[in-house]
Amino acid sequence: MNGAQDLGGMMGFGPITPEPVKPVFHAPWEKRAFAITLAMGATGEWNIDMSRFARESMPPERYLASSYYEIWLAGLETLLAERDLVRPEEIAAGHSLRQSRPVKRVLAADQVDAALAKGGPVDRPASAPARFSIGDKVRAKIMHPEGHTRIPRYCRGQTGIIETIHGCHVFPDDSAAGRGENPTWLYGVAFDGRAIWGADAAEDLSLRIDLWEPYLDPL
């Protein structure tokens, strides 16, 4: 998606100033937002790509003015409202006003450690041979999808070299739209940094971006 989250290389947002000591959570509510998001993700009502799309779909002015977990919470509210699990008046009130419908699964407290350890692998068996091989030259497609996508704007139209083949993985563009997993090959592509960022970039700068096969054209 061409949204506010795709900021790579854009000027005018000021310097990045990492915190000297970065806490996992800055406030108790962030811990709760994280826990609720994980618990609701485990219900099976949506997948991780739908969750990412919900966050990206925030209006740019709100997205850019929000903290990390404010964005998570806003995305969760969107997903809950879309599935009629929580209504806007309940969010405004801060508590339930009705009996919600049952969810597909419930993550119990004693299952959390095992669920986190298991994770959510997205690698899948290949249904077709890989189109590209290591060393192939490719061009990232110029594309502007309205839905979720994982191809950064700054690499579109640029030429790179296949450096790694990661295997077949769930295709996020289709997964986020509810069109199924449609696994496809995922490649590590190396780009010349100066071709992307211009002559002012360091001469030895290079970028390595993981890109799915539908994002790439052969050269």
Side-chain angles (χ1 to χ4, degrees):
M1 179 181 179
N2 297 322
Q5 84 290 343
D6 195 357
L7 290 172
M10 292 179 65
M11 303 297 288
F13 290 91
I16 297 173
T17 53
E19 296 175 276
V21 179
K22 187 173 183 179
V24 177
F25 302 106
H26 291 81
W29 74 265
E30 292 187 341
K31 187 183 298 186
R32 289 177 61 83
F34 176 73
I36 294 170
T37 300
L38 289 185
M40 286 306 304
T43 65
E45 293 288 331
W46 53 79
N47 59 48
I48 190 171
D49 298 304
M50 294 173 180
S51 183
R52 287 175 173 144
F53 182 47
R55 297 169 200 160
E56 297 167 357
S57 300
M58 291 173 61
E61 65 276 11
R62 183 183 178 193
Y63 186 98
L64 296 172
S66 300
S67 68
Y68 183 77
Y69 282 109
E70 286 174 339
I71 293 170
W72 272 47
L73 191 56
L76 179 60
E77 290 174 355
T78 296
L79 292 164
L80 292 169
E82 287 175 346
R83 288 152 183 82
D84 196 32
L85 290 167
V86 171
R87 293 179 179 172
E89 57 268 24
E90 294 178 296
I91 293 174
H95 57 82
S96 178
L97 299 174
R98 62 176 179 130
Q99 181 65 43
S100 180
R101 68 171 176 80
V103 294
K104 299 176 183 179
R105 296 188 297 269
V106 174
L107 180 64
D110 61 356
Q111 300 171 335
V112 171
D113 288 346
L116 291 177
K118 180 181 179 181
V122 292
D123 53 319
R124 300 290 187 268
S127 59
R131 186 181 184 189
F132 304 112
S133 302
I134 292 175
D136 284 356
K137 289 186 176 181
V138 292
R139 177 176 286 113
K141 292 181 179 179
I142 298 175
M143 50 189 291
H144 299 284
E146 293 182 356
H148 179 64
T149 189
R150 299 297 295 277
I151 179 172
R153 279 177 296 189
Y154 58 77
C155 76
R156 299 175 196 177
Q158 300 294 337
T159 299
I161 296 174
I162 302 292
E163 192 173 70
T164 309
I165 302 177
H166 295 300
C168 268
H169 291 251
V170 173
F171 186 46
D173 301 44
D174 286 343
S175 177
R179 295 190 293 264
E181 292 190 338
N182 298 328
T184 187
W185 289 90
L186 179 66
Y187 304 91
V189 185
F191 293 89
D192 181 343
R194 301 191 82 183
I196 291 179
W197 305 126
D200 292 336
E203 293 185 10
D204 60 348
L205 178 66
S206 61
L207 292 86
R208 285 160 178 79
I209 307 172
D210 289 340
L211 298 172
W212 275 262
E213 196 168 270
Y215 299 160
L216 302 170
D217 282 326
L219 284 181

